[in-house]
PDB file of all heavy atoms in Angstrom:
ATOM      1  N   TYR A  24      -8.514  -6.650   2.199  1.00 82.00           N
ATOM      2  CA  TYR A  24      -8.025  -5.137   2.203  1.00 82.00           C
ATOM      3  C   TYR A  24      -6.691  -5.044   2.562  1.00 82.00           C
ATOM      4  O   TYR A  24      -5.876  -4.187   2.028  1.00 82.00           O
ATOM      5  CB  TYR A  24      -8.968  -4.533   3.097  1.00 82.00           C
ATOM      6  CG  TYR A  24     -10.288  -4.118   2.604  1.00 82.00           C
ATOM      7  CD1 TYR A  24     -11.438  -4.789   3.041  1.00 82.00           C
ATOM      8  CD2 TYR A  24     -10.330  -3.256   1.585  1.00 82.00           C
ATOM      9  CE1 TYR A  24     -12.732  -4.580   2.367  1.00 82.00           C
ATOM     10  CE2 TYR A  24     -11.630  -3.042   0.963  1.00 82.00           C
ATOM     11  CZ  TYR A  24     -12.847  -3.672   1.381  1.00 82.00           C
ATOM     12  OH  TYR A  24     -14.016  -3.410   0.846  1.00 82.00           O
ATOM     13  N   LEU A  25      -6.098  -5.938   3.467  1.00 78.00           N
ATOM     14  CA  LEU A  25      -4.609  -5.835   3.733  1.00 78.00           C
ATOM     15  C   LEU A  25      -3.768  -6.154   2.592  1.00 78.00           C
ATOM     16  O   LEU A  25      -2.749  -5.560   2.173  1.00 78.00           O
ATOM     17  CB  LEU A  25      -4.280  -6.653   4.915  1.00 78.00           C
ATOM     18  CG  LEU A  25      -4.935  -6.167   6.340  1.00 78.00           C
ATOM     19  CD1 LEU A  25      -4.454  -7.221   7.426  1.00 78.00           C
ATOM     20  CD2 LEU A  25      -4.271  -4.903   6.722  1.00 78.00           C
ATOM     21  N   ASN A  26      -4.137  -7.155   1.847  1.00 79.00           N
ATOM     22  CA  ASN A  26      -3.464  -7.803   0.644  1.00 79.00           C
ATOM     23  C   ASN A  26      -3.597  -6.725  -0.481  1.00 79.00           C
ATOM     24  O   ASN A  26      -2.563  -6.520  -1.230  1.00 79.00           O
ATOM     25  CB  ASN A  26      -3.986  -9.111   0.285  1.00 79.00           C
ATOM     26  CG  ASN A  26      -3.155  -9.858  -0.702  1.00 79.00           C
ATOM     27  OD1 ASN A  26      -1.927  -9.556  -0.684  1.00 79.00           O
ATOM     28  ND2 ASN A  26      -3.638 -10.617  -1.624  1.00 79.00           N
ATOM     29  N   LYS A  27      -4.673  -6.075  -0.605  1.00 78.00           N
ATOM     30  CA  LYS A  27      -4.868  -5.053  -1.645  1.00 78.00           C
ATOM     31  C   LYS A  27      -3.939  -3.982  -1.417  1.00 78.00           C
ATOM     32  O   LYS A  27      -3.281  -3.445  -2.277  1.00 78.00           O
ATOM     33  CB  LYS A  27      -6.327  -4.572  -1.678  1.00 78.00           C
ATOM     34  CG  LYS A  27      -6.630  -3.696  -2.747  1.00 78.00           C
ATOM     35  CD  LYS A  27      -8.081  -3.216  -2.736  1.00 78.00           C
ATOM     36  CE  LYS A  27      -8.444  -2.217  -3.841  1.00 78.00           C
ATOM     37  NZ  LYS A  27      -9.793  -1.788  -3.788  1.00 78.00           N
ATOM     38  N   GLU A  28      -3.828  -3.386  -0.117  1.00 78.00           N
ATOM     39  CA  GLU A  28      -2.785  -2.392   0.244  1.00 78.00           C
ATOM     40  C   GLU A  28      -1.438  -2.743  -0.059  1.00 78.00           C
ATOM     41  O   GLU A  28      -0.571  -1.962  -0.522  1.00 78.00           O
ATOM     42  CB  GLU A  28      -2.996  -2.039   1.621  1.00 78.00           C
ATOM     43  CG  GLU A  28      -2.187  -0.810   2.081  1.00 78.00           C
ATOM     44  CD  GLU A  28      -2.499  -0.382   3.543  1.00 78.00           C
ATOM     45  OE1 GLU A  28      -3.627  -0.028   3.840  1.00 78.00           O
ATOM     46  OE2 GLU A  28      -1.521  -0.585   4.372  1.00 78.00           O
ATOM     47  N   ASP A  29      -1.096  -3.907   0.315  1.00 84.00           N
ATOM     48  CA  ASP A  29       0.290  -4.476   0.067  1.00 84.00           C
ATOM     49  C   ASP A  29       0.627  -4.405  -1.449  1.00 84.00           C
ATOM     50  O   ASP A  29       1.766  -4.160  -1.801  1.00 84.00           O
ATOM     51  CB  ASP A  29       0.471  -5.915   0.627  1.00 84.00           C
ATOM     52  CG  ASP A  29       1.837  -6.277   1.113  1.00 84.00           C
ATOM     53  OD1 ASP A  29       2.600  -5.266   1.487  1.00 84.00           O
ATOM     54  OD2 ASP A  29       2.097  -7.395   0.924  1.00 84.00           O
ATOM     55  N   GLU A  30      -0.304  -4.815  -2.312  1.00 87.00           N
ATOM     56  CA  GLU A  30      -0.147  -4.864  -3.725  1.00 87.00           C
ATOM     57  C   GLU A  30       0.148  -3.353  -4.213  1.00 87.00           C
ATOM     58  O   GLU A  30       0.950  -3.259  -5.076  1.00 87.00           O
ATOM     59  CB  GLU A  30      -1.232  -5.533  -4.425  1.00 87.00           C
ATOM     60  CG  GLU A  30      -1.319  -6.886  -4.323  1.00 87.00           C
ATOM     61  CD  GLU A  30      -2.629  -7.561  -4.925  1.00 87.00           C
ATOM     62  OE1 GLU A  30      -3.280  -6.871  -5.734  1.00 87.00           O
ATOM     63  OE2 GLU A  30      -2.984  -8.670  -4.656  1.00 87.00           O
ATOM     64  N   GLN A  31      -0.583  -2.441  -3.705  1.00 89.00           N
ATOM     65  CA  GLN A  31      -0.428  -1.152  -4.169  1.00 89.00           C
ATOM     66  C   GLN A  31       0.956  -0.608  -3.700  1.00 89.00           C
ATOM     67  O   GLN A  31       1.614   0.031  -4.444  1.00 89.00           O
ATOM     68  CB  GLN A  31      -1.498  -0.196  -3.540  1.00 89.00           C
ATOM     69  CG  GLN A  31      -2.895  -0.551  -4.084  1.00 89.00           C
ATOM     70  CD  GLN A  31      -3.938   0.174  -3.304  1.00 89.00           C
ATOM     71  OE1 GLN A  31      -3.838   0.541  -2.171  1.00 89.00           O
ATOM     72  NE2 GLN A  31      -5.170   0.139  -3.977  1.00 89.00           N
ATOM     73  N   MET A  32       1.389  -0.926  -2.553  1.00 91.00           N
ATOM     74  CA  MET A  32       2.778  -0.599  -2.092  1.00 91.00           C
ATOM     75  C   MET A  32       3.688  -1.155  -2.872  1.00 91.00           C
ATOM     76  O   MET A  32       4.869  -0.472  -3.244  1.00 91.00           O
ATOM     77  CB  MET A  32       2.905  -0.906  -0.642  1.00 91.00           C
ATOM     78  CG  MET A  32       2.161  -0.033   0.327  1.00 91.00           C
ATOM     79  SD  MET A  32       2.350  -0.403   2.073  1.00 91.00           S
ATOM     80  CE  MET A  32       4.072   0.036   2.241  1.00 91.00           C
ATOM     81  N   LYS A  33       3.657  -2.481  -3.244  1.00 92.00           N
ATOM     82  CA  LYS A  33       4.731  -3.076  -4.058  1.00 92.00           C
ATOM     83  C   LYS A  33       4.756  -2.426  -5.512  1.00 92.00           C
ATOM     84  O   LYS A  33       5.820  -2.354  -6.089  1.00 92.00           O
ATOM     85  CB  LYS A  33       4.321  -4.618  -4.302  1.00 92.00           C
ATOM     86  CG  LYS A  33       4.610  -5.434  -2.968  1.00 92.00           C
ATOM     87  CD  LYS A  33       4.382  -6.797  -3.161  1.00 92.00           C
ATOM     88  CE  LYS A  33       4.613  -7.568  -1.796  1.00 92.00           C
ATOM     89  NZ  LYS A  33       4.174  -9.010  -1.990  1.00 92.00           N
ATOM     90  N   LYS A  34       3.496  -2.027  -6.084  1.00 94.00           N
ATOM     91  CA  LYS A  34       3.583  -1.473  -7.339  1.00 94.00           C
ATOM     92  C   LYS A  34       4.275  -0.108  -7.323  1.00 94.00           C
ATOM     93  O   LYS A  34       5.161   0.263  -8.121  1.00 94.00           O
ATOM     94  CB  LYS A  34       2.188  -1.256  -7.867  1.00 94.00           C
ATOM     95  CG  LYS A  34       2.081  -0.781  -9.244  1.00 94.00           C
ATOM     96  CD  LYS A  34       0.731  -0.862  -9.761  1.00 94.00           C
ATOM     97  CE  LYS A  34       0.670  -0.218 -11.308  1.00 94.00           C
ATOM     98  NZ  LYS A  34      -0.596  -0.331 -11.983  1.00 94.00           N
ATOM     99  N   ILE A  35       4.065   0.608  -6.306  1.00 94.00           N
ATOM    100  CA  ILE A  35       4.682   2.102  -6.205  1.00 94.00           C
ATOM    101  C   ILE A  35       6.100   1.861  -5.939  1.00 94.00           C
ATOM    102  O   ILE A  35       7.123   2.483  -6.613  1.00 94.00           O
ATOM    103  CB  ILE A  35       4.122   2.770  -5.014  1.00 94.00           C
ATOM    104  CG1 ILE A  35       2.608   3.215  -5.308  1.00 94.00           C
ATOM    105  CG2 ILE A  35       4.914   4.131  -4.853  1.00 94.00           C
ATOM    106  CD1 ILE A  35       1.836   3.702  -4.106  1.00 94.00           C
ATOM    107  N   GLU A  36       6.554   0.865  -5.109  1.00 93.00           N
ATOM    108  CA  GLU A  36       8.025   0.542  -4.885  1.00 93.00           C
ATOM    109  C   GLU A  36       8.798   0.193  -6.133  1.00 93.00           C
ATOM    110  O   GLU A  36       9.888   0.566  -6.278  1.00 93.00           O
ATOM    111  CB  GLU A  36       8.189  -0.447  -3.782  1.00 93.00           C
ATOM    112  CG  GLU A  36       9.507  -0.677  -3.313  1.00 93.00           C
ATOM    113  CD  GLU A  36       9.631  -1.641  -2.035  1.00 93.00           C
ATOM    114  OE1 GLU A  36       8.597  -2.170  -1.715  1.00 93.00           O
ATOM    115  OE2 GLU A  36      10.739  -2.006  -1.743  1.00 93.00           O
ATOM    116  N   ALA A  37       8.030  -0.608  -6.996  1.00 95.00           N
ATOM    117  CA  ALA A  37       8.698  -0.955  -8.272  1.00 95.00           C
ATOM    118  C   ALA A  37       8.843   0.256  -9.169  1.00 95.00           C
ATOM    119  O   ALA A  37       9.759   0.205 -10.101  1.00 95.00           O
ATOM    120  CB  ALA A  37       7.805  -2.058  -8.961  1.00 95.00           C
ATOM    121  N   MET A  38       8.092   1.284  -9.059  1.00 94.00           N
ATOM    122  CA  MET A  38       8.309   2.520  -9.832  1.00 94.00           C
ATOM    123  C   MET A  38       9.442   3.337  -9.294  1.00 94.00           C
ATOM    124  O   MET A  38       9.996   4.126 -10.044  1.00 94.00           O
ATOM    125  CB  MET A  38       7.008   3.403  -9.743  1.00 94.00           C
ATOM    126  CG  MET A  38       5.869   2.763 -10.358  1.00 94.00           C
ATOM    127  SD  MET A  38       4.371   3.872 -10.166  1.00 94.00           S
ATOM    128  CE  MET A  38       3.115   2.932 -11.068  1.00 94.00           C
ATOM    129  N   LEU A  39       9.892   3.196  -8.076  1.00 94.00           N
ATOM    130  CA  LEU A  39      10.984   3.970  -7.529  1.00 94.00           C
ATOM    131  C   LEU A  39      12.383   3.363  -8.124  1.00 94.00           C
ATOM    132  O   LEU A  39      12.402   2.270  -8.613  1.00 94.00           O
ATOM    133  CB  LEU A  39      11.027   3.806  -5.978  1.00 94.00           C
ATOM    134  CG  LEU A  39       9.910   4.654  -5.396  1.00 94.00           C
ATOM    135  CD1 LEU A  39       9.813   4.277  -3.803  1.00 94.00           C
ATOM    136  CD2 LEU A  39      10.022   6.061  -5.542  1.00 94.00           C
ATOM    137  N   PRO A  40      13.395   4.172  -8.052  1.00 92.00           N
ATOM    138  CA  PRO A  40      14.691   3.705  -8.556  1.00 92.00           C
ATOM    139  C   PRO A  40      15.146   2.363  -7.877  1.00 92.00           C
ATOM    140  O   PRO A  40      15.856   1.601  -8.503  1.00 92.00           O
ATOM    141  CB  PRO A  40      15.612   4.826  -8.264  1.00 92.00           C
ATOM    142  CG  PRO A  40      14.816   6.033  -8.138  1.00 92.00           C
ATOM    143  CD  PRO A  40      13.515   5.563  -7.592  1.00 92.00           C
ATOM    144  N   GLY A  41      14.861   2.124  -6.600  1.00 90.00           N
ATOM    145  CA  GLY A  41      15.315   0.905  -5.942  1.00 90.00           C
ATOM    146  C   GLY A  41      16.726   0.918  -5.397  1.00 90.00           C
ATOM    147  O   GLY A  41      17.092  -0.245  -5.214  1.00 90.00           O
ATOM    148  N   PHE A  42      17.229   1.930  -5.168  1.00 92.00           N
ATOM    149  CA  PHE A  42      18.650   1.904  -4.638  1.00 92.00           C
ATOM    150  C   PHE A  42      18.626   1.777  -3.109  1.00 92.00           C
ATOM    151  O   PHE A  42      19.694   1.336  -2.487  1.00 92.00           O
ATOM    152  CB  PHE A  42      19.329   3.289  -4.897  1.00 92.00           C
ATOM    153  CG  PHE A  42      19.563   3.524  -6.329  1.00 92.00           C
ATOM    154  CD1 PHE A  42      19.204   4.846  -7.033  1.00 92.00           C
ATOM    155  CD2 PHE A  42      20.107   2.569  -7.222  1.00 92.00           C
ATOM    156  CE1 PHE A  42      19.437   4.987  -8.289  1.00 92.00           C
ATOM    157  CE2 PHE A  42      20.233   2.809  -8.630  1.00 92.00           C
ATOM    158  CZ  PHE A  42      19.860   3.993  -9.160  1.00 92.00           C
ATOM    159  N   ASN A  43      17.601   1.926  -2.377  1.00 89.00           N
ATOM    160  CA  ASN A  43      17.539   1.884  -0.884  1.00 89.00           C
ATOM    161  C   ASN A  43      18.743   2.520  -0.299  1.00 89.00           C
ATOM    162  O   ASN A  43      19.356   2.130   0.560  1.00 89.00           O
ATOM    163  CB  ASN A  43      17.532   0.302  -0.473  1.00 89.00           C
ATOM    164  CG  ASN A  43      16.181  -0.355  -0.785  1.00 89.00           C
ATOM    165  OD1 ASN A  43      15.161   0.281  -0.733  1.00 89.00           O
ATOM    166  ND2 ASN A  43      16.391  -1.596  -1.178  1.00 89.00           N
ATOM    167  N   CYS A  44      18.910   3.663  -0.730  1.00 92.00           N
ATOM    168  CA  CYS A  44      20.181   4.478  -0.364  1.00 92.00           C
ATOM    169  C   CYS A  44      19.997   5.372   0.873  1.00 92.00           C
ATOM    170  O   CYS A  44      20.997   5.728   1.408  1.00 92.00           O
ATOM    171  CB  CYS A  44      20.558   5.489  -1.478  1.00 92.00           C
ATOM    172  SG  CYS A  44      19.106   6.609  -1.937  1.00 92.00           S
TER     173      CYS A  44
END
Side-chain angles (χ1 to χ4, degrees):
Y24 284 107
L25 289 176
N26 196 28
K27 184 177 178 182
E28 183 179 299
D29 204 31
E30 288 175 16
Q31 292 168 344
M32 287 183 63
K33 286 179 182 176
K34 185 170 182 177
I35 296 169
E36 189 175 356
M38 293 177 181
L39 292 173
F42 295 134
N43 289 323
C44 59

